[in-house]
C-alpha cells in the first residue's frame, strides 16, 4: 500500500529549508501532498493562489509530490483522502512547543493521524519565511535562502505585481 503524507504549511514563500524537509520526506513516503494553508490571519505577502502556483513550479520535477490549497481543517482533508501521515520539519527547540501542540491537536481530532518530524539541515536551521521577506523588503540578496524563481517572484511582488 502506498504511504502518503501531507506536508502542510503557509509557504510564504517556500524556502530551501522547506525543500530540505520535502526531499527527506520523499525518501520515507511514496507520495506527498503539499497543502498550502490560507492563513488569512497571517497577513501573508503572497495570496493563496500565488503560493500554490509558486510551490507547484518549484516542485514540478518531483514525480511523487502534488500541491493544493487548504482552506479548512487539515484533518478533514486527510480523512477525505484516507491520508494518515503529516510531515513537519523541526528546526530548533523553539519550534517544539508549537509543533507538539499541533501534532497532539490533530491526533485528538483523528486518533489515526501520525505526525512525522524531520530535522532541518543545519545550514538552514535559522531560516524562516519571514526572515526571507524581511531581507528582501530591505533590498538584501535572498539567493542563499530561496530558489531563483522564488527570488524573482518576491521581487515582482514587492514591485506590486501579481505573481500567478
Ligand atoms: N525551513 C524553513 N522555514 C520553516 C521550515 C523549514 N523546514 N519549517 C517551518 N518554517 C517556517 C515557515 O517559513 C514559517 O515562517 P514564518 O512564520 O516566518 O512565516 C514558520 O516556520 C511557520 O511554519 P509553517 O510551516 O508555515 O507553519 P505554519 O505555522 O504557518 O502552518 C499549519 C501551520 C498551516 C500547518 C496549520 O496552521 C494548519 O494545519 N492549518 C490548517 C487548519 C488546521 O487544521 N488547523 C488546526 C491545526 S492543529
Amino acid at each position: 500500500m502506498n504511504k502518503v503524507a501531507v506536508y502542510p504549511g503557509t509557504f510564504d514563500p517556500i524556502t530551501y529549508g522547506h525543500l530540505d524537509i520535502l526531499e527527506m520526506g520523499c525518501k520515507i513516503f511514496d507520495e506527498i501532498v503539499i497543502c498550502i494553508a490560507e492563513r488569512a490571519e497571517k497577513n501573508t505577502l503572497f495570496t493563496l493562489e500565488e503560493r500554490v502556483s509558486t510551490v507547484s513550479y518549484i516542485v514540478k520535477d518531483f514525480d511523487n509530490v502534488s500541491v493544493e490549497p487548504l482552506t479548512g481543517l487539515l484533518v478533514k482533508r486527510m480523512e477525505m483522502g484516507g491520508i494518515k501521515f503529516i510531515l513537519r520539519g523541526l528546526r530548533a527547540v523553539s519550534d517544539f512547543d508549537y509543533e507538539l501542540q499541533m501534532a497532539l491537536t490533530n491526533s485528538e481530532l483523528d486518533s489515526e493521524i501520525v505526525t512525522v518530524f524531520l530535522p532541518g539541515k543545519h545550514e538552514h536551521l535559522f531560516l524562516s519565511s519571514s526572515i526571507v521577506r524581511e531581507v528582501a523588503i530591505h533590498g538584501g540578496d535572498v539567493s542563499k535562502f530561496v530558489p531563483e524563481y522564488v527570488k524573482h517572484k518576491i521581487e515582482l511582488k514587492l514591485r506590486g505585481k501579481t505573481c500567478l
Side-chain angles (χ1 to χ4, degrees):
M1 210 173 81
N2 259 12
K3 265 214 168 87
V4 186
V6 291
Y7 181 23
T10 312
F11 301 102
D12 185 44
I14 187 164
T15 69
Y16 282 132
H18 292 120
L19 288 170
D20 292 342
I21 303 299
L22 187 65
E23 277 168 21
M24 286 186 254
C26 285
K27 294 181 182 162
I28 301 174
F29 298 105
D30 301 309
E31 204 184 317
I32 294 177
V33 182
I34 300 181
C35 290
I36 306 196
E38 188 164 33
R39 304 280 273 161
E41 74 281 12
K42 247 191 159 180
N43 194 17
T44 54
L45 174 64
F46 292 96
T47 64
L48 178 59
E49 292 74 18
E50 289 169 339
R51 285 177 278 136
V52 169
S53 121
T54 301
V55 175
S56 300
Y57 182 85
I58 293 300
V59 303
K60 65 182 176 2
D61 295 331
F62 287 78
D63 293 335
N64 54 348
V65 175
S66 59
V67 182
E68 59 180 56
L70 175 71
T71 49
L73 265 189
L74 181 64
V75 162
K76 285 253 160 65
R77 163 63 187 98
M78 296 176 72
E79 286 170 351
M80 260 169 45
I83 302 173
K84 306 286 181 211
F85 299 101
I86 302 175
L87 173 64
R88 290 290 286 175
L90 273 185
R91 288 162 300 167
V93 180
S94 52
D95 281 344
F96 185 75
D97 279 354
Y98 176 59
E99 291 297 336
L100 185 66
Q101 190 182 17
M102 275 202 298
L104 294 178
T105 305
N106 285 324
S107 71
E108 201 59 41
L109 292 171
D110 181 333
S111 59
E112 289 194 29
I113 286 178
V114 175
T115 301
V116 175
F117 293 112
L118 295 180
K121 283 194 186 155
H122 74 274
E123 62 267 37
H124 296 137
L125 288 186
F126 66 94
L127 205 48
S128 75
S129 299
S130 42
I131 288 282
V132 172
R133 294 194 302 272
E134 174 85 5
V135 171
I137 284 167
H138 292 98
D141 183 8
V142 295
S143 309
K144 284 190 178 161
F145 313 144
V146 297
E148 198 56 35
Y149 180 82
V150 177
K151 181 183 165 191
H152 178 62
K153 291 279 174 176
I154 299 171
E155 286 163 358
L156 283 180
K157 192 71 189 176
L158 292 178
R159 276 190 256 131
K161 303 254 168 40
T162 311
C163 295
L164 289 171

